[in-house]
Amino acid sequence: MDRWLCAALLGYALSFSFSKPLAIEQWLVAATLVALIAWQFQSIRRYATFIGCVLCGIGWGSGNAYLHQSAQILPANFGKTLSVEVAITGITQVRDKFWRVEGEVVQLNGAALPAKLFRNPSIRLNWYEPPADAVSPPQAGTVWRFQARLKHPQGIRNDGSFLYHRYLVSRGIHALGSIRSGHYVHGEPSYRQRLFNQLNTYREQFQQFGILLALTLGDRQALSPEQWLTYQRTGLAHLIAISGLHLSLVAGGILLFSRRFSARLGRSRSRRERHNSWVAGTVLALLAACAYAWLAGFATATLRAFAMFSVVMLHKYYALHTPPSRVLLRAAAVVVVVEPMALLQPGFWLSVGAVATILLMHWRWPVIRGRWHAIRALWRLEVVLTLALWPLTALWFGGLPVLAPLTNMVMVPIIAMWVLPVSLLALLVFSLQQDTVAVWLFRLAEWPLNLTEPTLEAIARSPWQWLPDHLSGSMSWLAVLLIAWLLPWRNRWKVVASTVFIAGLLITRQLQALDTAVNFYVLDVDQGSAIVVAQGNRALLIDTGADWELGGNMAERAILPFLRHHKLVPDLAFVSHTDNDHKGGATAIRAIFPHVRWYGSGQGAPCAAGQSGIWGKVRWSALHPREVTENVNNDDSCVLLLEVNGTRILIPGDISKRAERQLLAHAADVRADILVLAHHGSNSSSEDYFLRAVQPYIAVASRGRNNAYGMVAEPVRKRLRDMDVKLVDTAVGGQVNIALSKSGWQVIQPWAATHRAWFDADN
């Protein structure tokens, strides 16, 4: 059976490589054809069965992709303020002047949605500056009616960035939005919401409230950014997200308790024969794990962990003597059935990778015996897990905490044996309305966390213990190294493989440094501007995206990850003008790269017409403004012209028609092969005569899909069409790459739907 299960999982994985989900008619025709062949020709029945299982896996993956896309809200509803009735499904995230609400759409503009196969579309709404007189935020289990402006479920798409659109697909979220106003309609808060409200009244009494809340209710909104960074940089982030480890601890505690309890009941032989403690304990353990998963709101990670744990417990319950590798295979299959979009979730791969590593250790390595065997075994486990998950950690978290084995060896027992059980006991007491005792228990639970927090913070702040991904090597090299050390080879061959790894890494870096090719990147930074020009391992930056009043900026979200991904170090930067969407990330970039030489917007040297310079193979010239300014206004934007191997690129910032006319009046040479549209494609710029003076072959628009300004304006699009100028848009396809060489230039959007699977298509 397991071989057919492997075939089905193979087909399921293949369905995620399709550019669009397989149509049901295509799948039925293929399945019918395979069935007929298997029935007609018995000699190839085994192969036909294999193909049939693959098709079943493809059908499952494609079918769920079709269901997700069929539940999408019609595009005509986006960009408008509509009346949306939402059944709140999750605990609202509350921050200063900001609420985030998630739920299912019940009605849209007063009309009920068409019936779906499973459920209504899910939606995530942000409420900025909610009313001060509101008694409480929207509660899980209630229904609210909002006036909200709906947006496409889209995120930025760049090399190295967090792919938000994939996260939305994996969570089944079909629309985003901003709330203008809202009011309660009906319904009562869920039991989980009431527990949260009860706990939240004591928030100020606990120093580690965010961690306690994450461990008990699976809600991490109370974690401060500093706490989250500390646990991530020390390799402990998995401990504050309810996972298979936490569910296993709860179930293991129940099994141990039931065995001890039944041992006392079964003193006599007759009682032991009548009562099977293992059967009762297994059922109780499953119920306890299910209750814990329910407390966490059956979040994606929790549901995945419960599904895998249930498979293991059922094998134990029915005494199925199955190799652990097959149990893992079946558990993964159940997860795929329960969470069809699991392959898009990093947690799925981390969970499967961790379990597979543990199984491999038990298969190939001897059991540690002797003095301190438990500590030595735990140390070996932590070191091997850190190394085995190194590629995935570098890919998704941007680096590797060097001291992760040590911090895990210390903190895993503390949280597993102290913090988690005492916190759950305190939550149980809370549910019995014994608040005084529960508060005392929570304080007892957080006591070891308070003691270890200063040490963890010091470790997290130490730059030497965080190995960035650009220093740890590419994914392929890391995979080769790990395979070499995990395979049962002789040690000398492992040393040879490590030597080859280090030599290959050094050679690759040297080749990149000697590479003289120039690449021009227009990053997808939503409604803003950020451009990177790369040559070898050096970079030139133009604009830095926006920052936000509530925290965060596009430099941290897009530009710095892009530079790390391509192993680039900037040494020259321009800021066209002082608007937030161009200047916002400058401070964050300065903090990481203090040696960068800046031009424009008061960041360093001024930017004015007449300035020029050479950076590698790139010659840059400033064409505007005519006088030295701080580039405060749109029409004072620093207009740059780049020349590379005979190719000219014009970057006009946010200038309007007035500044365009000034450029032409002063006979500025604005001819260019590539034009980055002024002001993100606004109709206030890009007049017909200016475009004819530039004579571009392509125009690039750097803008957000959900921008409220209607950019790129239709008149601008028409002018470009009339001049037969191709428009390339970061909002439709993501990051734009332009390779510049002596033979010409080539444009590609690596994250566009034409180069990616269906879940990367524009939503």
Side-chain angles (χ1 to χ4, degrees):
M1 181 194 78
D2 290 325
R3 70 182 65 177
W4 311 132
L5 191 57
C6 283
L9 288 176
L10 174 62
Y12 166 76
L14 285 175
S15 70
F16 281 79
S17 66
F18 296 161
S19 59
K20 60 181 180 179
L22 189 67
I24 190 65
E25 297 85 358
Q26 296 172 318
W27 181 84
L28 286 175
V29 168
T32 304
L33 181 61
V34 170
L36 289 174
I37 293 174
W39 175 70
Q40 190 69 27
F41 303 100
Q42 294 187 6
S43 59
I44 61 170
R45 181 170 295 175
R46 177 178 298 181
Y47 304 103
T49 304
F50 177 84
I51 296 173
C53 292
V54 171
L55 287 173
C56 287
I58 292 175
W60 179 250
S62 293
N64 281 282
Y66 170 79
L67 289 174
H68 174 81
Q69 293 183 338
S70 65
Q72 297 280 11
I73 294 175
L74 293 177
N77 294 310
F78 293 123
K80 302 176 182 177
T81 300
L82 306 173
S83 173
V84 186
E85 193 168 294
V86 179
I88 312 300
T89 55
I91 295 175
T92 300
Q93 294 186 27
V94 179
R95 297 179 184 174
D96 185 30
K97 299 181 180 179
F98 170 76
W99 293 347
R100 172 168 286 170
V101 181
E102 286 191 14
E104 294 184 0
V105 179
V106 178
Q107 291 184 352
L108 196 60
N109 262 356
L113 295 178
K116 302 295 179 183
L117 291 177
F118 291 104
R119 62 178 187 179
N120 288 337
S122 296
I123 192 170
R124 170 178 283 187
L125 301 172
N126 294 332
W127 197 341
Y128 300 100
E129 297 187 357
D133 57 348
V135 177
S136 65
Q139 306 279 291
T142 62
V143 176
W144 280 59
R145 184 173 292 117
F146 302 109
Q147 292 294 319
R149 184 177 183 272
L150 300 186
K151 305 175 183 178
H152 294 273
Q154 194 75 42
I156 61 173
R157 288 169 288 179
N158 303 291
D159 297 338
S161 297
F162 173 66
L163 301 175
Y164 187 52
H165 66 287
R166 288 188 183 180
Y167 168 79
L168 295 175
V169 172
S170 69
R171 290 285 308 273
I173 295 175
H174 301 91
L176 305 175
S178 299
I179 298 174
R180 302 292 188 260
S181 63
H183 64 273
Y184 165 83
V185 178
H186 62 82
E188 294 294 329
S190 64
Y191 183 73
R192 180 169 178 257
Q193 177 73 62
R194 294 199 296 273
L195 275 178
F196 172 83
N197 295 341
Q198 190 176 0
L199 277 172
N200 201 42
T201 58
Y202 297 94
R203 174 191 290 260
E204 302 301 327
Q205 298 189 27
F206 303 120
Q207 184 178 338
Q208 307 294 334
F209 178 77
I211 296 175
L212 297 176
L213 189 64
L215 290 175
T216 52
L217 295 180
D219 193 294
R220 289 181 285 180
Q221 63 173 290
L223 285 169
S224 66
E226 294 76 17
Q227 279 183 311
W228 176 249
L229 184 63
T230 296
Y231 275 77
Q232 181 182 335
R233 288 296 179 94
T234 52
L236 301 173
H238 65 98
L239 292 179
I240 52 177
I242 296 177
S243 61
L245 171 66
H246 301 74
L247 265 69
S248 299
L249 289 170
V250 171
I254 295 296
L255 283 173
L256 181 63
F257 173 78
S258 64
R259 177 172 294 184
R260 295 289 177 87
F261 184 72
S262 60
R264 291 188 174 276
L265 290 179
R267 298 275 184 184
S268 66
R269 181 176 180 179
S270 60
R271 285 186 177 181
R272 287 197 299 270
E273 290 176 349
R274 287 197 308 268
H275 302 288
N276 188 336
S277 63
W278 173 252
V279 173
T282 303
V283 174
L284 287 175
L286 277 174
L287 291 175
C290 183
Y292 191 23
W294 170 77
L295 273 177
F298 284 114
T300 302
T302 311
L303 194 59
R304 180 179 64 243
F306 177 69
M308 298 182 75
F309 176 77
S310 299
V311 172
V312 175
M313 294 304 295
L314 288 174
H315 277 75
K316 294 290 185 181
Y317 181 83
Y318 289 105
L320 298 176
H321 299 287
T322 307
S325 57
R326 295 194 176 189
V327 176
L328 176 61
L329 174 69
R330 296 170 186 178
V334 171
V335 170
V336 165
V337 172
V338 175
E339 286 289 337
M341 299 301 166
L343 262 64
L344 298 179
Q345 302 164 7
F348 171 79
W349 297 103
L350 290 171
S351 299
V352 172
V355 175
T357 302
I358 294 172
L359 294 180
L360 183 63
M361 289 176 60
H362 283 286
W363 173 53
R364 294 303 308 175
W365 292 358
V367 177
I368 295 178
R369 304 185 186 279
R371 299 182 63 182
W372 305 100
H373 65 277
I375 295 178
R376 288 159 56 201
L378 180 59
W379 172 251
R380 183 176 72 174
L381 173 65
E382 295 298 343
V383 170
V384 174
L385 281 176
T386 299
L387 293 176
L389 299 178
W390 186 350
L392 296 179
T393 305
L395 175 65
W396 285 312
F397 300 111
L400 177 75
V402 177
L403 292 183
L406 179 61
T407 55
N408 274 275
M409 193 175 73
V410 174
M411 295 302 298
V412 167
I414 289 176
I415 291 181
M417 304 303 175
W418 185 293
V419 180
L420 180 62
V422 177
S423 298
L424 291 176
L425 178 61
L427 189 68
L428 177 62
V429 175
F430 246 126
S431 65
L432 299 176
Q433 305 300 319
Q434 300 297 319
D435 290 17
T436 303
V437 179
V439 168
W440 181 84
L441 286 172
F442 271 126
R443 286 176 179 164
L444 184 64
E446 72 168 358
W447 174 67
L449 298 177
N450 294 336
L451 293 179
T452 56
E453 185 178 48
T455 304
L456 293 178
E457 289 178 348
I459 294 174
R461 287 194 300 266
S462 302
W464 54 268
Q465 79 87 35
W466 178 255
L467 188 64
D469 56 354
H470 67 277
L471 295 178
S472 60
S474 65
M475 293 288 295
S476 56
W477 285 108
L478 283 174
V480 170
L481 180 65
L482 291 174
I483 291 173
W485 278 93
L486 291 176
L487 287 176
W489 294 359
R490 293 183 180 273
N491 286 335
R492 63 172 176 267
W493 293 114
K494 295 180 180 181
V495 172
V496 169
S498 301
T499 305
V500 172
F501 164 76
I502 296 172
L505 190 61
L506 294 175
I507 292 172
T508 302
R509 293 236 179 125
Q510 189 62 29
L511 289 175
Q512 184 186 15
L514 297 175
D515 186 10
T516 58
V518 179
N519 291 285
F520 182 85
Y521 302 99
V522 181
L523 302 189
D524 178 10
V525 289
D526 201 50
Q527 190 63 18
S529 175
I531 295 170
V532 178
V533 185
Q535 181 175 337
N537 59 0
R538 315 303 294 179
L540 179 153
L541 308 181
I542 303 172
D543 288 337
T544 60
D547 69 347
W548 302 283
E549 185 179 349
L550 296 174
N553 55 73
M554 271 299 173
E556 296 172 345
R557 187 172 295 183
I559 302 173
L560 293 174
F562 178 88
L563 295 175
R564 287 195 296 265
H565 178 83
H566 288 279
K567 303 176 179 63
L568 298 172
V569 177
D571 38 37
L572 188 64
F574 296 84
V575 177
S576 61
H577 67 299
T578 57
D579 278 6
N580 177 54
D581 59 335
H582 293 250
K583 181 186 174 182
T587 303
I589 294 174
R590 278 180 182 275
I592 305 297
F593 302 106
H595 65 278
V596 174
R597 187 157 52 104
W598 291 82
Y599 285 89
S601 303
Q603 295 298 305
C607 181
Q611 292 175 310
S612 63
I614 296 177
W615 178 79
K617 287 189 173 183
V618 180
R619 179 178 179 83
W620 62 269
S621 305
L623 306 181
H624 186 80
R626 305 300 298 180
E627 299 177 353
V628 174
T629 69
E630 291 292 328
N631 308 107
V632 175
N633 302 314
N634 283 353
D635 280 341
D636 288 334
S637 293
C638 175
V639 177
L640 290 174
L641 179 68
L642 307 182
E643 297 181 67
V644 185
N645 295 322
T647 300
R648 295 163 63 92
I649 305 173
L650 183 64
I651 308 164
D654 275 1
I655 62 172
S656 68
K657 298 173 183 178
R658 175 175 170 271
E660 290 176 350
R661 293 169 186 170
Q662 288 179 357
L663 274 170
L664 298 181
H666 288 91
D669 186 4
V670 295
R671 290 179 298 106
D673 304 286
I674 301 164
L675 170 67
V676 178
L677 286 178
H679 208 178
H680 319 287
S682 168
N683 193 38
S684 63
S685 311
S686 304
E687 281 194 316
D688 182 80
Y689 56 82
F690 181 75
L691 293 176
R692 295 193 181 279
V694 177
Q695 297 180 350
Y697 291 100
I698 66 166
V700 181
S702 177
R703 56 109 185 182
R705 177 99 184 262
N706 293 311
N707 76 85
Y709 312 105
M711 302 170 181
V712 173
E714 185 55 37
V716 175
R717 293 178 183 271
K718 184 177 184 303
R719 292 171 205 149
L720 295 174
R721 286 194 301 267
D722 292 343
M723 293 181 59
D724 198 24
V725 177
K726 181 182 178 182
L727 175 63
V728 184
D729 191 348
T730 61
V732 183
Q735 162 192 322
V736 178
N737 299 359
I738 303 177
L740 304 166
S741 63
K742 292 182 179 179
S743 58
W745 45 269
Q746 183 181 13
V747 181
I748 186 174
Q749 285 186 280
W751 293 99
T754 53
H755 305 284
R756 296 284 170 172
W758 62 267
F759 47 81
D760 281 329
D762 296 308
N763 292 320

PDB file of all heavy atoms in Angstrom, residues 708-724:
ATOM      1  N   ALA A 708      -4.303  53.260  -4.205  1.00  0.00           N
ATOM      2  CA  ALA A 708      -5.597  53.952  -4.260  1.00  0.00           C
ATOM      3  C   ALA A 708      -5.623  55.072  -5.288  1.00  0.00           C
ATOM      4  O   ALA A 708      -6.614  55.796  -5.369  1.00  0.00           O
ATOM      5  CB  ALA A 708      -5.939  54.516  -2.883  1.00  0.00           C
ATOM      6  N   TYR A 709      -4.564  55.231  -6.079  1.00  0.00           N
ATOM      7  CA  TYR A 709      -4.454  56.379  -6.972  1.00  0.00           C
ATOM      8  C   TYR A 709      -4.725  56.038  -8.437  1.00  0.00           C
ATOM      9  O   TYR A 709      -4.610  56.891  -9.313  1.00  0.00           O
ATOM     10  CB  TYR A 709      -3.051  56.993  -6.854  1.00  0.00           C
ATOM     11  CG  TYR A 709      -2.615  57.203  -5.436  1.00  0.00           C
ATOM     12  CD1 TYR A 709      -1.673  56.365  -4.849  1.00  0.00           C
ATOM     13  CD2 TYR A 709      -3.158  58.223  -4.659  1.00  0.00           C
ATOM     14  CE1 TYR A 709      -1.275  56.537  -3.536  1.00  0.00           C
ATOM     15  CE2 TYR A 709      -2.764  58.406  -3.344  1.00  0.00           C
ATOM     16  CZ  TYR A 709      -1.827  57.559  -2.795  1.00  0.00           C
ATOM     17  OH  TYR A 709      -1.436  57.733  -1.485  1.00  0.00           O
ATOM     18  N   GLY A 710      -5.050  54.786  -8.693  1.00  0.00           N
ATOM     19  CA  GLY A 710      -5.346  54.404 -10.073  1.00  0.00           C
ATOM     20  C   GLY A 710      -4.124  54.332 -10.968  1.00  0.00           C
ATOM     21  O   GLY A 710      -4.242  54.429 -12.194  1.00  0.00           O
ATOM     22  N   MET A 711      -2.943  54.187 -10.395  1.00  0.00           N
ATOM     23  CA  MET A 711      -1.725  54.073 -11.189  1.00  0.00           C
ATOM     24  C   MET A 711      -1.537  52.609 -11.608  1.00  0.00           C
ATOM     25  O   MET A 711      -1.848  51.706 -10.847  1.00  0.00           O
ATOM     26  CB  MET A 711      -0.517  54.536 -10.384  1.00  0.00           C
ATOM     27  CG  MET A 711      -0.617  55.977  -9.874  1.00  0.00           C
ATOM     28  SD  MET A 711       0.711  56.319  -8.712  1.00  0.00           S
ATOM     29  CE  MET A 711       0.347  58.009  -8.250  1.00  0.00           C
ATOM     30  N   VAL A 712      -1.108  52.371 -12.821  1.00  0.00           N
ATOM     31  CA  VAL A 712      -0.714  53.294 -13.887  1.00  0.00           C
ATOM     32  C   VAL A 712      -1.976  53.866 -14.530  1.00  0.00           C
ATOM     33  O   VAL A 712      -2.895  53.122 -14.881  1.00  0.00           O
ATOM     34  CB  VAL A 712       0.140  52.562 -14.922  1.00  0.00           C
ATOM     35  CG1 VAL A 712       0.443  53.409 -16.116  1.00  0.00           C
ATOM     36  CG2 VAL A 712       1.387  51.989 -14.291  1.00  0.00           C
ATOM     37  N   ALA A 713      -1.985  55.227 -14.697  1.00  0.00           N
ATOM     38  CA  ALA A 713      -3.174  55.887 -15.224  1.00  0.00           C
ATOM     39  C   ALA A 713      -3.442  55.435 -16.655  1.00  0.00           C
ATOM     40  O   ALA A 713      -2.518  55.211 -17.447  1.00  0.00           O
ATOM     41  CB  ALA A 713      -2.988  57.400 -15.168  1.00  0.00           C
ATOM     42  N   GLU A 714      -4.724  55.322 -16.989  1.00  0.00           N
ATOM     43  CA  GLU A 714      -5.094  54.854 -18.328  1.00  0.00           C
ATOM     44  C   GLU A 714      -4.583  55.774 -19.430  1.00  0.00           C
ATOM     45  O   GLU A 714      -4.141  55.278 -20.489  1.00  0.00           O
ATOM     46  CB  GLU A 714      -6.616  54.701 -18.417  1.00  0.00           C
ATOM     47  CG  GLU A 714      -7.109  54.099 -19.722  1.00  0.00           C
ATOM     48  CD  GLU A 714      -6.460  52.771 -20.031  1.00  0.00           C
ATOM     49  OE1 GLU A 714      -6.221  51.977 -19.093  1.00  0.00           O
ATOM     50  OE2 GLU A 714      -6.171  52.520 -21.234  1.00  0.00           O
ATOM     51  N   PRO A 715      -4.595  57.118 -19.266  1.00  0.00           N
ATOM     52  CA  PRO A 715      -4.014  57.963 -20.322  1.00  0.00           C
ATOM     53  C   PRO A 715      -2.536  57.668 -20.572  1.00  0.00           C
ATOM     54  O   PRO A 715      -2.073  57.715 -21.714  1.00  0.00           O
ATOM     55  CB  PRO A 715      -4.221  59.383 -19.787  1.00  0.00           C
ATOM     56  CG  PRO A 715      -5.395  59.279 -18.880  1.00  0.00           C
ATOM     57  CD  PRO A 715      -5.282  57.941 -18.245  1.00  0.00           C
ATOM     58  N   VAL A 716      -1.797  57.367 -19.512  1.00  0.00           N
ATOM     59  CA  VAL A 716      -0.377  57.022 -19.684  1.00  0.00           C
ATOM     60  C   VAL A 716      -0.248  55.709 -20.440  1.00  0.00           C
ATOM     61  O   VAL A 716       0.595  55.567 -21.346  1.00  0.00           O
ATOM     62  CB  VAL A 716       0.324  56.950 -18.316  1.00  0.00           C
ATOM     63  CG1 VAL A 716       1.769  56.481 -18.475  1.00  0.00           C
ATOM     64  CG2 VAL A 716       0.276  58.298 -17.614  1.00  0.00           C
ATOM     65  N   ARG A 717      -1.085  54.742 -20.100  1.00  0.00           N
ATOM     66  CA  ARG A 717      -1.064  53.464 -20.823  1.00  0.00           C
ATOM     67  C   ARG A 717      -1.349  53.682 -22.305  1.00  0.00           C
ATOM     68  O   ARG A 717      -0.696  53.070 -23.171  1.00  0.00           O
ATOM     69  CB  ARG A 717      -2.102  52.507 -20.227  1.00  0.00           C
ATOM     70  CG  ARG A 717      -1.810  52.048 -18.808  1.00  0.00           C
ATOM     71  CD  ARG A 717      -2.926  51.142 -18.313  1.00  0.00           C
ATOM     72  NE  ARG A 717      -2.748  50.733 -16.935  1.00  0.00           N
ATOM     73  CZ  ARG A 717      -2.073  49.656 -16.544  1.00  0.00           C
ATOM     74  NH1 ARG A 717      -1.518  48.871 -17.466  1.00  0.00           N
ATOM     75  NH2 ARG A 717      -1.956  49.352 -15.266  1.00  0.00           N
ATOM     76  N   LYS A 718      -2.307  54.554 -22.602  1.00  0.00           N
ATOM     77  CA  LYS A 718      -2.662  54.797 -23.995  1.00  0.00           C
ATOM     78  C   LYS A 718      -1.499  55.447 -24.754  1.00  0.00           C
ATOM     79  O   LYS A 718      -1.200  55.080 -25.896  1.00  0.00           O
ATOM     80  CB  LYS A 718      -3.909  55.682 -24.072  1.00  0.00           C
ATOM     81  CG  LYS A 718      -4.414  55.924 -25.494  1.00  0.00           C
ATOM     82  CD  LYS A 718      -5.676  56.740 -25.490  1.00  0.00           C
ATOM     83  CE  LYS A 718      -6.240  56.891 -26.917  1.00  0.00           C
ATOM     84  NZ  LYS A 718      -5.249  57.486 -27.840  1.00  0.00           N
ATOM     85  N   ARG A 719      -0.840  56.412 -24.108  1.00  0.00           N
ATOM     86  CA  ARG A 719       0.307  57.048 -24.778  1.00  0.00           C
ATOM     87  C   ARG A 719       1.392  56.023 -25.080  1.00  0.00           C
ATOM     88  O   ARG A 719       2.006  56.046 -26.149  1.00  0.00           O
ATOM     89  CB  ARG A 719       0.869  58.156 -23.891  1.00  0.00           C
ATOM     90  CG  ARG A 719      -0.045  59.345 -23.707  1.00  0.00           C
ATOM     91  CD  ARG A 719       0.505  60.274 -22.638  1.00  0.00           C
ATOM     92  NE  ARG A 719      -0.558  61.073 -22.033  1.00  0.00           N
ATOM     93  CZ  ARG A 719      -0.568  61.503 -20.791  1.00  0.00           C
ATOM     94  NH1 ARG A 719       0.450  61.219 -19.993  1.00  0.00           N
ATOM     95  NH2 ARG A 719      -1.572  62.227 -20.336  1.00  0.00           N
ATOM     96  N   LEU A 720       1.636  55.119 -24.145  1.00  0.00           N
ATOM     97  CA  LEU A 720       2.658  54.096 -24.373  1.00  0.00           C
ATOM     98  C   LEU A 720       2.243  53.155 -25.497  1.00  0.00           C
ATOM     99  O   LEU A 720       3.073  52.771 -26.341  1.00  0.00           O
ATOM    100  CB  LEU A 720       2.901  53.311 -23.079  1.00  0.00           C
ATOM    101  CG  LEU A 720       3.505  54.109 -21.911  1.00  0.00           C
ATOM    102  CD1 LEU A 720       3.557  53.246 -20.655  1.00  0.00           C
ATOM    103  CD2 LEU A 720       4.907  54.610 -22.248  1.00  0.00           C
ATOM    104  N   ARG A 721       0.954  52.796 -25.528  1.00  0.00           N
ATOM    105  CA  ARG A 721       0.494  51.924 -26.610  1.00  0.00           C
ATOM    106  C   ARG A 721       0.612  52.614 -27.954  1.00  0.00           C
ATOM    107  O   ARG A 721       1.011  51.995 -28.957  1.00  0.00           O
ATOM    108  CB  ARG A 721      -0.958  51.497 -26.357  1.00  0.00           C
ATOM    109  CG  ARG A 721      -1.145  50.475 -25.264  1.00  0.00           C
ATOM    110  CD  ARG A 721      -2.527  49.853 -25.313  1.00  0.00           C
ATOM    111  NE  ARG A 721      -3.584  50.852 -25.164  1.00  0.00           N
ATOM    112  CZ  ARG A 721      -4.138  51.187 -24.002  1.00  0.00           C
ATOM    113  NH1 ARG A 721      -3.711  50.609 -22.881  1.00  0.00           N
ATOM    114  NH2 ARG A 721      -5.105  52.088 -23.947  1.00  0.00           N
ATOM    115  N   ASP A 722       0.259  53.882 -28.005  1.00  0.00           N
ATOM    116  CA  ASP A 722       0.330  54.618 -29.274  1.00  0.00           C
ATOM    117  C   ASP A 722       1.759  54.694 -29.797  1.00  0.00           C
ATOM    118  O   ASP A 722       1.985  54.749 -31.020  1.00  0.00           O
ATOM    119  CB  ASP A 722      -0.244  56.032 -29.094  1.00  0.00           C
ATOM    120  CG  ASP A 722      -1.742  56.020 -28.838  1.00  0.00           C
ATOM    121  OD1 ASP A 722      -2.378  54.985 -29.117  1.00  0.00           O
ATOM    122  OD2 ASP A 722      -2.279  57.037 -28.341  1.00  0.00           O
ATOM    123  N   MET A 723       2.733  54.719 -28.876  1.00  0.00           N
ATOM    124  CA  MET A 723       4.137  54.788 -29.278  1.00  0.00           C
ATOM    125  C   MET A 723       4.773  53.402 -29.386  1.00  0.00           C
ATOM    126  O   MET A 723       5.978  53.286 -29.649  1.00  0.00           O
ATOM    127  CB  MET A 723       4.928  55.625 -28.269  1.00  0.00           C
ATOM    128  CG  MET A 723       4.554  57.093 -28.244  1.00  0.00           C
ATOM    129  SD  MET A 723       5.569  58.007 -27.051  1.00  0.00           S
ATOM    130  CE  MET A 723       7.205  57.702 -27.699  1.00  0.00           C
ATOM    131  N   ASP A 724       3.949  52.376 -29.194  1.00  0.00           N
ATOM    132  CA  ASP A 724       4.429  50.988 -29.265  1.00  0.00           C
ATOM    133  C   ASP A 724       5.539  50.731 -28.241  1.00  0.00           C
ATOM    134  O   ASP A 724       6.545  50.076 -28.533  1.00  0.00           O
ATOM    135  CB  ASP A 724       4.920  50.661 -30.679  1.00  0.00           C
ATOM    136  CG  ASP A 724       5.000  49.149 -30.911  1.00  0.00           C
ATOM    137  OD1 ASP A 724       4.282  48.416 -30.215  1.00  0.00           O
ATOM    138  OD2 ASP A 724       5.794  48.725 -31.775  1.00  0.00           O
TER     139      ASP A 724
END
